[in-house]
């Protein structure tokens, strides 16, 4: 992967408990880290495999290796939220991570 392919800004968010202005504990999404990413839709065999389990809204994000990322987080990209379904440290080289995430339906 070339550095110029990492041209989209994404924000990883962590679900955590914070204390609000009234002193009450509230569970909310908090920004963990903002990163450059390559973003692609699934295609070919990956797309059809996702369609079988009704996960067609899955997007693949490729970022530089970053510690502390797990499936409990979500991604904010272009105003949409994506729940992380899998994380792959490509070839265990600690250079790039491929994250598959499914768009969250906000229709209620």
């Amino acid at each position: 992967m070339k550095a110029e392919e990492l041209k989209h800004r994404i924000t990883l968010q962590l679900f955590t408990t914070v204390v609000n202005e009234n002193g009450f504990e509230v569970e909310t999404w908090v920004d963990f880290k903002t990163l450059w990413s390559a973003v692609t839709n699934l295609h070919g065999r990956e797309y059809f495999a996702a369609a079988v389990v009704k996960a067609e809204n899955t997007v693949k994000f490729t970022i530089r290796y970053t510690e502390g990322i797990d499936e409990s987080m979500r991604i904010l990209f272009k105003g949409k939220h994506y729940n992380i379904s899998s994380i792959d440290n490509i070839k265990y080289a600690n250079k790039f991570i491929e994250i598959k995430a499914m768009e969250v339906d906000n229709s209620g």
Side-chain angles (χ1 to χ4, degrees):
M1 169 138 310
K2 298 178 182 174
E4 61 264 15
E5 294 177 32
L6 304 175
K7 59 184 176 183
H8 300 283
R9 290 299 266 177
I10 65 169
T11 302
L12 291 166
Q13 295 182 321
L14 180 64
F15 194 67
T16 187
T17 303
V18 296
V19 177
N20 67 11
E21 63 276 357
N22 296 325
F24 295 105
E25 290 185 352
V26 180
E27 290 185 331
T28 188
W29 289 99
V30 176
D31 291 352
F32 173 71
K33 194 172 262 194
T34 299
L35 306 162
W36 290 103
S37 173
V39 181
T40 57
N41 293 327
L42 297 183
H43 50 78
R45 187 176 289 162
E46 283 182 320
Y47 175 80
F48 290 111
V52 169
V53 293
K54 300 195 184 315
E56 297 97 340
N57 298 9
T58 302
V59 177
K60 192 176 354 178
F61 299 91
T62 305
I63 60 172
R64 291 185 190 274
Y65 180 80
T66 303
E67 292 206 16
I69 299 173
D70 62 38
E71 285 88 0
S72 68
M73 297 177 169
R74 75 176 183 185
I75 295 172
L76 177 61
F77 173 62
K78 291 192 175 183
K80 294 182 181 179
H81 297 102
Y82 297 83
N83 288 334
I84 297 175
S85 55
S86 70
I87 300 170
D88 179 23
N89 179 359
I90 299 173
K91 297 181 181 180
Y92 295 99
N94 291 347
K95 292 184 179 182
F96 293 99
I97 295 176
E98 184 178 275
I99 301 171
K100 288 185 184 170
M102 190 160 55
E103 184 179 342
V104 176
D105 182 15
N106 292 328
S107 63

